[in-house]
Every structure is written in C-alpha cells, then in structure tokens.
Amino acid sequence: MKSLFIVLDGGDGAGTTTHSRLLKGFLESKGLKVYLTQEPSQSKIGILIREFLKKKEIPPTTDALLFAADRDLHYKNEIKNKLEDGYIVISDRYLESSIVYQSVHSDKITIDWVKEINKFVGLPDITIILDIEPEIALARKGDEDLEKFEDPQILNKVRKLYLLRAKQEGYPTISSDDIIELVQEKIQKIIIEKLKTRS
Ligand code: TYD
C-alpha cells in the first residue's frame, strides 16, 4: 500500500493548521486514506508542553527534551502504525519545528544536539515550509493570550532559520502571504507530484 509522510512546518501564524486540514480534505476527495495529526501531540507529554508554552520560566533544554519525548511517542505509537496501514499521514509541525525553535531559543542548544535527541524517529517523505512575515503572523493572532515564542524578535530569527534550513535541505517553501486558496493550490501541486514519483 502506498503511504506518504507529509509535514507542513513554519513560523507561528504561517497557517500550518489551516493548510493541513485543507490538504487532508483535498486528498480524501481523491479517494486516498489520510490521517491528520499535529505536534505538540495529543499525548500527556503534548498536553504538558502546551501548558509550558505559556510559561517563560521553563528552561529551553527542558522544552527541547519534552518535544523530543513527545515526538518519540507520537512517531512510534501513532504515525508509524498509520503509515504501515497505508495511510497518507499529514503532521502539522514535526522535527523541523524543534530544530528551528529550540536552537533559536538558546545559544547553548545546537542543531546537532536537537538532531541527536530526535534521532530515533522516522523522517518525513516531504517537509513543506510555509513562510510568513512575523508582523503579519502576529497581527493575524490578534490580542489572544500569546505563547512564549509568539514574539516578533524570536519569530524573525525563527523565520530566517526556516529559510536557511529550507535552502540547505531542499524543502519546498511557499509564501503564506497570499490568499489561502492560492497557497493551498501550491501545496496540492507539490504533493500530487510527490505522489506520482512514488507510484
Ligand atoms: P502551534 O502550532 O502554534 O500550536 P497552536 O496553533 O495550537 O498554538 O505550536 C505551538 C508552539 O510550539 C509554536 O510556537 C512552535 C512551538 N514548537 C516548538 O518550539 N518545538 C517543536 O518541536 C514543536 C512541534 C512546536
């Protein structure tokens, strides 16, 4: 059976959640089996992480280790099984979020260390980066209770690193500045091509 592990990643407010949902609907309309998931996951570790996202006093290393533990559980107990059952899995955020956010969060955290603590999980077949200017992203959020990474300075660094990583790793990058339909169409085109090369 033909499975595919897709990740949509990018800075806060780039629309990974909206586009993951739309992509699921699109692929299902083509008769494909799709499993949509996200990180932080729904596990107890994921719930704890969401609580910690509101707390500035949590050490960045603790965050990094928790995200890695959440991913380990998420991949091994959920994603892997779905892929084996022939589903197309779409994850709204995955390893690239940890590489970017955790290394930006502290000078002591290197990309190599983040990769090391995440080295036992399976890698996506394709990661698509959605790119957005932090000012626009934060304006979209409005006045809601912001999480610790939802800060213009942090998000500018996050954006730069996503773009650099995309260049280095060859991840397709799409500007999320356009209207949703147009951005989604670009994502769908990339996935259709990817599915063709796998069949
Ligand atoms: P987000 O997708 O913004 O969740 P929601 O839309 O439900 O608030 O993710 C929460 C935050 O967690 C976001 O700022 C990115 C951060 N994050 C990391 O720092 N490392 C990670 O590994 C992941 C998955 C997310």
Side-chain angles (χ1 to χ4, degrees):
M1 251 183 280
K2 206 173 61 180
S3 64
L4 188 73
F5 182 14
I6 302 167
V7 171
L8 297 192
D9 222 314
D12 280 86
T16 57
T17 305
T18 304
H19 286 292
S20 297
R21 285 185 192 144
L22 291 170
L23 182 63
K24 177 180 192 270
F26 169 74
L27 294 172
E28 281 177 342
S29 76
K30 302 271 170 216
L32 297 161
K33 286 202 301 184
V34 184
Y35 182 73
L36 175 62
T37 185
Q38 89 277 336
E39 291 194 354
S41 80
Q42 307 281 7
S43 76
K44 284 188 178 162
I45 306 171
I47 292 164
L48 179 67
I49 290 173
R50 289 205 180 272
E51 218 180 290
F52 282 3
L53 282 169
K54 302 279 181 193
K55 295 183 179 161
K56 289 215 159 60
E57 69 274 17
I58 304 299
T61 40
T62 302
D63 274 341
L65 292 163
L66 284 174
F67 277 116
D70 183 45
R71 183 163 303 118
D72 200 60
L73 194 62
H74 187 206
Y75 182 77
K76 287 169 188 162
N77 283 10
E78 208 176 320
I79 296 173
K80 189 167 175 281
N81 300 339
K82 292 292 175 186
L83 291 171
E84 283 169 2
D85 283 348
Y87 280 82
I88 292 178
V89 174
I90 303 172
S91 186
D92 171 5
R93 295 193 178 282
Y94 195 63
L95 176 57
E96 207 53 41
S97 280
S98 280
I99 289 176
V100 171
Y101 279 86
Q102 273 56 68
S103 72
V104 158
H105 199 193
S106 162
D107 291 341
K108 293 204 179 86
I109 296 181
T110 63
I111 290 177
D112 281 345
W113 181 69
V114 176
K115 284 185 182 166
E116 182 69 20
I117 60 174
N118 280 277
K119 74 177 177 189
F120 297 112
V121 296
L123 297 178
D125 296 302
I126 183 163
T127 298
I128 297 177
I129 305 298
L130 300 182
D131 177 53
I132 187 87
E133 237 183 79
E135 287 70 21
I136 298 173
L138 288 171
R140 281 182 188 171
K141 291 252 164 193
D143 287 334
E144 67 186 74
D145 193 12
L146 296 179
E147 291 168 350
K148 67 184 160 202
F149 299 123
E150 292 170 338
D151 162 277
Q153 266 188 345
I154 293 180
L155 288 185
N156 269 306
K157 287 190 196 166
V158 160
R159 182 188 193 198
K160 272 198 193 136
L161 188 51
Y162 267 119
L163 292 176
L164 177 67
R165 291 275 312 155
K167 212 168 159 191
Q168 289 170 343
E169 301 292 322
Y171 301 141
T173 306
I174 297 172
S175 166
S176 200
D177 226 344
D178 268 317
I179 54 165
I180 288 178
E181 290 79 0
L182 215 70
V183 175
Q184 177 60 208
E185 216 174 279
K186 289 181 184 169
I187 295 171
Q188 290 172 2
K189 269 196 187 142
I190 292 169
I191 298 304
I192 290 169
E193 280 312 305
K194 188 75 190 172
L195 283 168
K196 273 190 205 155
T197 62
R198 285 179 64 84
S199 52

